[in-house]
Amino acid sequence: MTRPRPEFDPELRAGLAVVGGLFPPTVTPELIGFMRQSYASRPVDETMHGREVTHTDYEIPGYRGDPITVSVFRSPRANGERPVIVYAHSGGLMFGDRFNALDATLDWVERLGAVLITPEYRLAPEYRDPYAREDMYATLEWTAGQSNSLGIDLRRLMVAGASSGGGLAAGLALAARERDGPAIRAQMLSYPMLDDRGIAPSTTQFDGVGVWDRVSNETGWRAYLGDAYRSPEVSPLAVPARATDLTGLPPAFIDVGDCEIFRDEAIDYAGALWGAGVNTELHVWPGAFHACDIFAPHTALAKSMLHTRFVWIARMLAD
C-alpha cells in the first residue's frame, strides 16, 4: 500500500512539470551523464550581469595535493575585513558545479559584503569518498591560510551548502572540530543529504515524485561510497548522520521541505545537535519539494526560504 504523504504547495506543484524535464525525480546511474549536462550552471558572466560583484578563480591543492579550482566572489564596495562563507554546491555528489545556486548566494556577497568561496570539488563515481569532503576541507584550510591576502575576518567564517553540499558542509564542521582546524562560527545546511542508510520514514514517501527520490539517493550514495555504502566502515565525516558526538559544533541553520525525502533525517540531525548543546534553527517548509528555491525561486514559498536564510546569515556574521 502506498504511504500517504503531504501535498505539494499548489504554486510549487505547477512548476514540477517544468522541473521534471531538466531534473527527473528518479536518477539512476545511467542518467549521470545526462544530469551533468542538464544541471550544469549557465555561464557565470550571465549570472553576475548587473551585480556589483567581482569573481576571481584560484588553483589550489585539493585532496592528495591534486589541483582544484576555487572561485572567490566579493563586493568591491565592501571595506575592511569581510566575513567569509565556504560553500559546497548541490548535485547528489555526482554532478553540479561551483556556480550552482549563485543567484541566491551572490545576494550574500552583494548585500552583506561577505566573501563567498566555492570550490570545484571532485565528483563520484570517478572520485569516491574521501575526495569531495577532503577537497572541501582543503578549501577551508586554504581560506584560513589566505586570510590576509583575501581580506577576510576569520572570526566570521561560516560553512554552507545545499543538498549533497549541505552534507559536505556538516562534515566540514565535524572535520574542523576533530582536526583542530579553522574555527567555524556557523554552519548553514539547506535540505542536507546526511544519511546513506535510508532509515528515515520520509525516504520512502516520495518515490517517483518531486525532485530526488529514494532511488536517486541510493544512486548518489552508492556512487560516492562504493563498497562501503551502508557498511559500518563509513566515516561520519562522509555521512554526518552517523556521528555519535556532535558536541562543540558551531551553531546551525537547517531547513528542509516537508515534501522531500530528506525531511526526517534533517529533523533528526537538528534534534541531535540540540541534544549535544548546539544552538540550532530548524525550518520545515510545508508543501516544499527538494531544492524548490533553486528550481522555482519566483514562488512565494521559495522567496520565504531565501529570506529566512539571509536573515540568519546576517545575524551569524555580524561583527
Side-chain angles (χ1 to χ4, degrees), residues 25 78 85 123 160 165 175-176 203 249 298:
I85 301 169
L123 300 172
T203 303
L249 291 176
H298 61 285

Side-chain angles (χ1 to χ4, degrees), residues 306-318:
L306 294 166
H307 174 73
T308 303
R309 288 183 206 139
F310 183 89
V311 169
W312 184 84
I313 292 169
R315 188 171 77 247
M316 288 296 107
L317 296 185

